[in-house]
Amino acid sequence: MLEIVATDYAFDAPEKIPSGWTTIEFINDGEDPHMLLFHLLPEGKTLDHFAGELYPPVNEWWMAVRDDGMDPSEARQVANLPAWFGDAQWMGGAGFIDPGLSTKITMKLPPGTYVMECYVKTEDGELHAMEGMLRELTVTDERSEATPPEANIDITLSNYEMDIYGDLTPGSHTVAVHFAEGSNHNEHVARLDSDGSVQDVLDWLPWLEHDGLWPPAPATLLGGMNILPEGETGYFKLDLEPGRYLFVSEMTGRAGVLEEVTIEP
Ligand SMILES: [Cu+2]
């Protein structure tokens, strides 16, 4: 198993890993929430392109929202993203996770050059990626012997819908997230306080909204699975205890892809 440690603001990770099924323990050793998103870059592109050509306009886009009060969708239209970014592919990763917590994720990674990214914000409203949370990873042609884990909770994402089946009981679980047709969104799990508001979490999640992903989070962030291509499945470990949980997609461009679940003792 591979270990990736997030700090404020860097990823401590290997430079090369074999392709195929990979299990990663993702540890948040910082004081901010963090996340892990894998981008498989188009042939010939590297971290230098990602940091030098993609991130400056992404950051300008965010600054226009943060400092000029521009409407997020308007800001998007003026962001001059490089054409090659359309050929990059999201390849999963860990959902938002609170300081001091860790999670285990499993995905199948094809060979190539990847960039790992965290786009949570600092308490000053800077994107973690701009502060150092961009890192290159080479996935080699050598194949790992690993196989996917057995899941006891299944989540299917499709066309801005989420269906959850399985063992929603206290204890330690392996969750499979199936990316079905139109599943252009990810999966996160948060534990709500007894009086915690679902709407507060929905308002906090969209990264481009002024207060989005700007700590502190209004719930305890427990991880999840970032976007994989349609037809793929990613896995994450989830410990549940009695209480209220929110299973929710971010990156939808629309709020409301969610299931609120109460775990009974
Ligand atoms: Cu981060």
Side-chain angles (χ1 to χ4, degrees), residues 6-11 26 28 32-36 117-122 127-129 133:
T7 55
D8 308 336
Y9 298 97
F11 291 117
F26 182 59
N28 184 349
D32 276 358
H34 291 295
M35 47 93 68
L36 176 66
E117 176 192 11
C118 174
Y119 55 82
V120 174
K121 294 162 193 164
T122 69
L127 297 170
H128 286 188
M133 299 195 82

Side-chain angles (χ1 to χ4, degrees), residues 88-92 108 156-160 177-186 226-234:
Q89 179 99 62
W90 286 314
M91 288 304 300
K108 193 170 63 183
T156 301
L157 299 177
S158 61
N159 296 312
Y160 301 105
V177 183
H178 306 284
F179 291 80
E181 196 188 345
S183 57
N184 196 23
H185 44 112
N186 50 20
N226 256 311
I227 296 190
L228 280 162
E230 270 183 32
E232 300 289 333
T233 297

Side-chain angles (χ1 to χ4, degrees), residues 177-200:
V177 183
H178 306 284
F179 291 80
E181 196 188 345
S183 57
N184 196 23
H185 44 112
N186 50 20
E187 181 72 32
H188 300 275
V189 184
R191 190 168 58 235
L192 298 162
D193 291 340
S194 54
D195 59 352
S197 150
V198 171
Q199 191 59 47
D200 284 353

